[in-house]
Amino acid sequence: MSRRSEEKLAERQDRMAEEQAFRDLAAGGSGLIGLDGPQAASSGKKSAKATSDAKRGGKQKAPAKPRELYIPARGWQGAGGGRVGYMDPPTMWRATTVQACGMWPFAAGSGSPMTGVPLGQHLFTGATVCGDPLNWFTRARYISNPSLFMLGMPGLGKSTLINRMLIGLAATGVVPLVLGDLKPDYADTVRALGGQVISIGRGRGGINVLDPGAMGQAAAKIGGEAGEVLKAEAHGRVLNMVAALITIVRSRPMDDHEQSVLSAVLHHLRERTLPGRTVLLPDVLRVLTEGPDRVRAVTLDRGDDTRYRDAVDPLHRSLLGILDGPLGDTFASETSTRIDPNAPAVCIDISGIGEADTQLTAAAMLAAWSDGLGTVAASHALADAGLAPRRWFFTVLDELWRPLRAASGIVDRIDALTRLNRSLGLGDAKITHTLKDAEALGSDADRAKARGFVERAGMVVCAGLPKTEMEDLGKVVGLSRREIELVSSWSSPPGWGVRGEDEEPPGRGRFLIKVGGRPGIPIKVAITDAERELHNTNTRWTTNEAAIEQVAARAAQEVARLSQDGPLPLAFPGDPAPLALPGDPGFPAIEASAGGWTA
């Protein structure tokens, strides 16, 4: 019997049951028909028989218990009766094969991992997909390196997905570290998590690159041989940081004998600096000018002042270039705000540095990474000594193309991080647009190092990319033809007829997760309202419509008042404008908010 025939038969049975109930009511019965059908229909006859027995004086039986009114499965027929032409689908529940083993008829699952931060839904099956570099390395053992590399065209949600990982990992006790937020994209999220936001830039704040920071404090707290080892490591970190700044100013590395001179100067200052006072770059210049015996010994001056000056003058000039040159006073004074080792999240905001100021950007990022990784090393040293709990860290490096092009020293620093992050106890996420960003580097060695970032990444996440870029990426991570076509389709722009702020590009929020040679996992990320407010990378393209309406209303009132006083004055060139209009100096400032339009 067809489905339509079954529906007609059910409707016919419902109508017959309704008619029987109405006939029973008309005959003086209770109109109650039970689910047992004929027995309920004969209840009227039984009731009549009991009445006749009572009239003859016979024994009267107890009245039968009334049955509930029978309601057809499809509702009463007629207007307002609630009749429906279909049945609601059953409620769906999710359970593991252990919990619902008797109801599990499938030979293979959907292949969606459930370990880590909830990222979104599988694009084809709708199953929940979870994942992040730390949980896939520590708990699931899916990857052998806790690192993630993400590529995608601008505006498709790359930093939004990393922002979700950052929030989810912070909820599990992992400390997010955004060591150089260039836009900024993560400062508001870190504030919402109760973390620490440090601003670096001219007039905003600075970093004293000679300050050992958390490593110096941890070394003093640990003491003994372990403390001395940590002090030596802090000295090497400071030496490398100063050498990196000089490399940025010179656009070439330091000479080997200059590094020896700089190391001797730093040791001299550490020995003669009072406790509680930190060493500054001007102190290094002062020691070079004085020329103590310990510093002269490594220059091989043999008592000749001329030989000493010839050896230290290039270093002296480079340090002067740091203090008085393009780097300004950002590194000349005390650290404005130190990283709190106990903060639940840390963001070093360098968005105040101009786009064209590449040298200061490179120096600020190097200093931020040196200070942040020093804090990580101090935390692990305290945990090894039993003086603090063990903590894991998650570093984010967004807009990778900018630091890669700023200076060659950053390429080496990131390269070392991708190789040693397992021993450092931290996971990392690096975000850029295409693989061609690595081709713009100055030397072949730097280009080779940058290409290795993708090869060594435990997870590779792709947003929308052109087809040629996907084919190049497929040579590195192994993409199938179907995966290349899928991700390439996400880079297509929306149609010409798109209108309204709720419309978005077809590829926004869609990602393909690749791990080794496994098939990719396509996901769709839908962000919450809280995430949307905390992470809006188009804030400069957002206006407050309410404020514009208020200004327009005030302008209309002013026009009405002037019209009552007399004819409006004509505006001639050079005359002051009688009203403050958009673009005029008197026009009220309009603050950006999420309630306006977004490009």
Side-chain angles (χ1 to χ4, degrees):
M1 183 181 297
S2 66
R3 180 181 180 86
R4 182 59 180 169
S5 300
E6 292 178 356
E7 292 180 353
K8 289 183 177 180
L9 179 60
E11 292 177 359
R12 182 180 178 185
Q13 293 176 350
D14 291 346
R15 285 196 297 270
M16 293 176 60
E18 294 174 20
E19 293 172 359
Q20 179 64 37
F22 288 134
R23 285 196 298 269
D24 185 46
L25 286 172
S30 62
L32 300 176
I33 301 178
L35 296 178
D36 48 0
Q39 296 180 1
S42 62
S43 60
K45 298 179 180 179
K46 293 180 180 180
S47 178
K49 182 179 179 182
T51 303
S52 61
D53 292 342
K55 290 181 178 180
R56 291 195 300 268
K59 185 177 180 181
Q60 184 177 0
K61 295 183 180 180
K65 183 178 180 180
R67 295 186 176 92
E68 295 182 356
L69 182 64
Y70 172 73
I71 301 176
R74 298 172 183 272
W76 293 110
Q77 186 179 14
R83 296 183 64 83
V84 294
Y86 64 91
M87 297 294 291
D88 291 334
T91 304
M92 297 181 64
W93 302 90
R94 180 185 294 275
T96 65
T97 55
V98 176
Q99 295 169 325
C101 53
M103 303 179 183
W104 186 255
F106 308 111
S110 62
S112 299
M114 297 291 292
T115 303
V117 177
L119 301 180
Q121 290 183 306
H122 196 286
L123 199 59
F124 301 139
T125 66
T128 301
V129 178
C130 303
D132 61 81
L134 272 74
N135 283 290
W136 280 16
F137 174 72
T138 58
R139 295 171 56 196
R141 303 291 182 182
Y142 294 151
I143 57 179
S144 59
N145 188 14
S147 62
L148 178 148
F149 197 94
M150 179 177 290
L151 302 100
M153 300 299 290
L156 297 182
K158 300 185 300 297
S159 56
T160 300
L161 180 61
I162 298 300
N163 195 67
R164 170 165 292 186
M165 289 187 184
L166 186 148
I167 296 172
L169 289 172
T172 62
V174 177
V175 181
L177 298 176
V178 186
L179 303 176
D181 198 352
L182 291 161
K183 286 188 177 179
D185 284 340
Y186 307 94
D188 291 340
T189 300
V190 170
R191 290 190 186 97
L193 294 173
Q196 182 185 28
V197 178
I198 302 173
S199 296
I200 300 298
R202 293 190 179 94
R204 297 173 177 265
I207 295 179
N208 178 18
V209 295
L210 303 184
D211 186 359
M215 294 186 69
Q217 297 176 359
K221 188 174 182 180
I222 295 173
E225 183 178 355
E228 293 299 324
V229 171
L230 196 58
K231 285 182 181 179
E233 184 178 350
H235 172 81
R237 189 177 296 273
V238 169
L239 178 63
N240 291 333
M241 187 60 234
V242 178
L245 292 182
I246 294 175
T247 300
I248 292 174
V249 172
R250 292 182 176 179
S251 298
R252 64 175 180 84
M254 290 179 61
D255 296 331
D256 54 351
H257 70 275
E258 290 179 323
Q259 295 188 25
S260 302
V261 172
L262 183 59
S263 179
V265 171
L266 294 177
H267 280 299
H268 176 82
L269 287 171
R270 299 290 182 203
E271 294 172 357
R272 287 162 176 76
T273 301
L274 297 176
R277 183 183 179 277
T278 56
V279 180
L280 303 175
L281 280 178
D283 296 330
V284 177
L285 293 177
R286 177 177 52 80
V287 173
L288 288 176
T289 302
E290 295 174 354
D293 294 339
R294 180 166 187 172
V295 177
R296 287 178 175 271
V298 297
T299 62
L300 302 178
D301 66 331
R302 297 181 175 88
D304 187 349
D305 191 67
T306 302
R307 290 172 58 89
Y308 172 74
R309 294 302 169 189
D310 292 341
V312 301
D313 279 352
L315 177 60
H316 200 152
R317 284 192 294 268
S318 297
L319 291 173
L320 287 173
I322 294 175
L323 297 177
D324 301 328
L327 302 187
D329 58 351
T330 307
F331 306 102
S333 58
E334 295 279 357
T335 300
S336 56
T337 305
R338 287 188 174 184
I339 295 179
D340 183 5
N342 299 317
V346 176
C347 174
I348 298 182
D349 180 9
I350 61 173
S351 61
I353 303 175
E355 293 280 343
D357 203 345
T358 56
Q359 285 191 338
L360 183 56
T361 299
M365 292 202 71
L366 279 174
W369 276 86
S370 179
D371 198 12
L373 296 182
T375 303
V376 173
S379 175
H380 290 315
L382 290 172
D384 294 339
L387 301 176
R390 180 73 64 188
R391 306 177 78 190
W392 291 346
F393 299 85
F394 179 60
T395 61
V396 178
L397 181 57
D398 204 344
E399 301 293 337
L400 182 65
W401 62 273
R402 283 191 63 185
L404 288 180
R405 298 179 186 180
S408 60
I410 296 184
V411 178
D412 294 330
R413 181 61 56 90
I414 299 173
D415 180 65
L417 178 65
T418 59
R419 299 175 185 272
L420 302 175
N421 51 358
R422 289 186 297 114
S423 59
L424 293 176
L426 58 87
D428 69 275
K430 295 177 286 295
I431 311 171
T432 190
H433 296 146
T434 66
L435 286 177
K436 293 182 175 61
D437 293 335
E439 302 300 327
L441 299 180
S443 64
D444 294 337
D446 286 347
R447 286 192 288 270
K449 294 172 187 176
R451 285 192 295 267
F453 297 162
V454 184
E455 299 172 353
R456 290 191 298 273
M459 299 171 59
V460 177
V461 181
C462 304
L465 286 169
K467 190 171 183 179
T468 55
E469 180 69 21
M470 289 299 299
E471 291 175 350
D472 293 340
L473 182 62
K475 300 175 182 178
V476 180
V477 298
L479 296 169
S480 66
R481 177 56 53 184
R482 179 71 183 99
E483 291 172 342
I484 292 175
E485 294 176 353
L486 177 64
V487 179
S488 300
S489 66
W490 296 340
S491 63
S492 303
W496 294 111
V498 171
R499 298 179 63 185
E501 64 178 9
D502 294 333
E503 301 292 340
E504 58 184 21
R508 180 173 294 173
R510 289 170 170 81
F511 304 93
L512 181 71
I513 303 176
K514 288 289 293 183
V515 174
R518 300 187 182 189
I521 305 174
I523 65 172
K524 167 65 176 176
V525 178
I527 63 175
T528 63
D529 292 339
E531 289 176 300
R532 187 175 292 106
E533 294 176 0
L534 290 174
H535 189 77
N536 182 10
T537 58
N538 293 332
T539 53
R540 295 294 177 88
W541 293 91
T542 306
T543 59
N544 190 333
E545 295 179 356
I548 293 177
E549 293 177 358
Q550 293 176 3
V551 173
R554 289 197 298 269
Q557 293 175 1
E558 183 69 13
V559 170
R561 184 185 65 80
L562 293 175
S563 63
Q564 293 175 359
D565 296 341
L568 293 174
L570 295 176
F572 294 97
D575 292 343
L579 295 177
L581 299 176
D584 294 339
F587 187 75
I590 299 174
E591 296 181 358
S593 71
W597 62 271
T598 303

